[in-house]
Amino acid sequence: MAKKDYYEVLGVSKTATEQEIKSAYRKLAKKYHPDVNKENGAEEKFKEVNEAASILLDADKRAKYDQFGHAAFDGSSGFGGSGFGGFEDFFSNMGGGMDFGDIFSDLFGGGSRRSSRRGPSKGQDVGVEVRLTFREFVFGVTKKVNLNLIKNCERCNGVGAENPNDVNICTRCNGAGQIIVNKQMGPFQVQNQITCDRCNGVGKEFKNKCKSCHGKGIEHKREQVELELPRGARLGQQFVLRGKGHASLEGGMPGDLYVTIDVLENDVFELINNSDDLIMNYNISYIDAILGNEILIKTLDGDVRLKVPKGVHSGQIIKVHNKGLFKNQSSDKRGDLLIRVNISVPSSVSKEEKKLLKEIEELSNYKPKNNIE
């Protein structure tokens, strides 16, 4: 059977750049690798893709292929071709241009063989949402929250052994925490670096494990953390407390605690997006609305005297300056308190009130307007 055109196999044009060929090869090698694709013909397709790439990613071989086609590598053709002698030539001629560890690392969960072990990793971060009342939100508050944290074992201080002298370097990985394994990939082998299965990546072995943590060096502990939440915060704002998260499993720095601010909803106060102002819904009597009386209203700052405009209607806003949200943590400047008036009408009145209201009704010429189209 005649071989397919190498450019067609990789799905690239004959003018494709080296980078375009590499990209196409990566995609197809992942798609048809026998360890991933169990369909009939996948392995043959995988070999075909590798053969095409070995020619087109070698400048000299590609030039010969472009001129003579497959005959350039057929020893019986009279062209003196070198033949397709296997994948060893492919690797040696790549000149480091393609990292097969990068291509296949997602298939096997390991890194490339050129990767190196880093220092102890940081502990995991912890997130907590704190819900505040509007008073706490405006003026700031100190809150205590209970967290379930991974902490260094108190008995062994995170060592994992009864005695520090009981800790030895892992004999399998020599303390690296990772080992090199060979993975057969079709007709060739690729080395991959994986976590050591003896020490689980720690790089240590224990002669006598800690009786409390059983060699883990950590324990789960419920801990109360005190949070200083300042005034001037905003809904959804996040504060970071460094080193207040989970302990590292490898003796590194502990993780951080991320605190997100939320506010308990109620019927009185409302926030405005991207504003320092605060809305307050407030009920006033129909008498105060008619007469325009001066009233005493209760706010988060205490009692405030307010002159009600005569003829005020429900939904109208009365502004009180400098009683909204603090603009920031260090400033005394604040937004405004926007009082949204709701005129409250009693469901029942006394006989005397009803008599007086009837007299007012006879005296009044007021008729509400209704525009109906």
Side-chain angles (χ1 to χ4, degrees):
M1 183 182 293
K3 288 187 177 181
K4 286 186 180 178
D5 180 83
Y6 286 143
Y7 291 101
E8 182 182 338
V9 169
L10 296 180
V12 297
S13 68
K14 291 188 176 182
T15 59
T17 64
E18 181 181 347
Q19 191 58 44
E20 288 172 335
I21 295 173
K22 286 181 180 179
S23 178
Y25 171 73
R26 288 172 185 266
K27 187 182 299 183
L28 292 171
K30 293 176 184 178
K31 179 178 179 180
Y32 292 110
H33 190 276
D35 285 355
V36 176
N37 192 328
K38 302 299 183 182
E39 295 180 4
N40 291 333
E43 185 172 357
E44 290 303 317
K45 185 67 176 177
F46 178 72
K47 292 178 181 179
E48 187 179 54
V49 166
N50 278 285
E51 181 178 334
S54 72
I55 299 299
L56 299 184
L57 286 171
D58 181 287
D60 182 58
K61 290 182 178 180
R62 182 178 181 182
K64 290 179 181 179
Y65 177 73
D66 288 344
Q67 186 175 3
F68 303 110
H70 292 293
F73 310 103
D74 183 356
S76 64
S77 65
F79 289 105
S82 61
F84 186 71
F87 292 94
E88 292 83 0
D89 290 339
F90 187 19
F91 283 111
S92 62
N93 291 326
M94 289 305 296
M98 180 178 286
D99 186 347
F100 277 84
D102 289 342
I103 294 174
F104 297 114
S105 62
D106 59 338
L107 299 180
F108 303 106
S112 78
R113 56 183 171 183
R114 295 183 295 181
S115 65
S116 59
R117 177 168 168 80
R118 300 171 295 175
S121 63
K122 178 184 172 185
Q124 287 189 339
D125 297 330
V126 178
V128 62
E129 185 179 79
V130 179
R131 306 190 74 185
L132 307 178
T133 65
F134 269 91
R135 185 180 298 279
E136 294 169 340
F137 180 69
V138 173
F139 297 106
V141 67
T142 299
K143 281 280 189 182
K144 293 181 180 180
V145 296
N146 293 314
L147 303 173
N148 291 316
L149 296 175
I150 296 174
K151 307 292 289 185
N152 284 327
C153 174
E154 291 185 356
R155 180 184 177 92
C156 66
N157 198 28
V159 174
E162 284 295 306
N163 189 299
N165 295 328
D166 293 338
V167 182
N168 299 311
I169 294 175
C170 175
T171 54
R172 180 164 172 77
C173 66
N174 292 320
Q178 293 179 323
I179 57 175
I180 301 295
V181 295
N182 293 321
K183 186 71 178 182
Q184 190 69 33
M185 306 179 70
F188 58 91
Q189 285 188 341
V190 171
Q191 289 185 336
N192 281 279
Q193 190 167 271
I194 64 172
T195 300
C196 177
D197 54 359
R198 176 170 294 176
C199 67
N200 294 320
V202 178
K204 302 181 226 176
E205 293 180 322
F206 307 105
K207 184 178 179 181
N208 293 303
K209 292 183 179 180
C210 171
K211 291 182 175 60
S212 179
C213 66
H214 306 290
K216 295 179 181 178
I218 52 96
E219 59 185 351
H220 291 271
K221 188 177 180 181
R222 189 166 179 81
E223 187 171 285
Q224 189 176 77
V225 179
E226 190 170 87
L227 308 176
E228 293 285 346
L229 303 176
R231 69 186 189 184
R234 293 296 181 266
L235 185 65
Q237 185 173 349
Q238 199 170 67
F239 297 92
V240 183
L241 279 71
R242 301 295 179 192
K244 295 295 185 181
H246 292 306
S248 169
L249 300 181
E250 301 175 5
M253 294 293 292
D256 302 324
L257 175 62
Y258 287 81
V259 182
T260 304
I261 301 298
D262 195 11
V263 182
L264 292 167
E265 294 184 4
N266 63 41
D267 296 330
V268 178
F269 295 102
E270 297 177 22
L271 296 172
I272 306 172
N273 288 336
N274 303 316
S275 175
D276 300 323
D277 296 336
L278 181 63
I279 294 177
M280 180 181 180
N281 297 300
Y282 201 81
N283 298 324
I284 66 172
S285 75
Y286 70 102
I287 300 295
D288 292 328
I290 293 172
L291 300 179
N293 292 333
E294 184 178 82
I295 61 175
L296 199 66
I297 65 171
K298 296 183 181 294
T299 71
L300 294 175
D301 289 86
D303 293 342
V304 173
R305 289 195 172 276
L306 181 69
K307 184 70 167 68
V308 178
K310 289 183 179 180
V312 68
H313 55 81
S314 288
Q316 186 171 331
I317 297 292
I318 303 174
K319 185 181 293 185
V320 180
H321 294 291
N322 205 42
K323 297 296 182 184
L325 304 178
F326 286 91
K327 293 186 178 293
N328 55 60
Q329 300 176 25
S330 57
S331 175
D332 289 330
K333 294 183 178 180
R334 300 169 64 176
D336 296 328
L337 179 64
L338 307 180
I339 298 177
R340 182 190 288 140
V341 172
N342 177 56
I343 298 174
S344 182
V345 179
S347 57
S348 62
V349 293
S350 65
K351 290 182 179 180
E352 291 78 4
E353 286 177 300
K354 186 174 182 179
K355 180 180 179 182
L356 292 173
L357 289 171
K358 282 291 186 182
E359 293 176 3
I360 293 173
E361 181 183 27
E362 293 174 1
L363 292 173
S364 176
N365 294 320
Y366 175 73
K367 298 293 183 183
K369 295 180 179 179
N370 293 290
N371 296 321
I372 301 176
E373 295 181 356

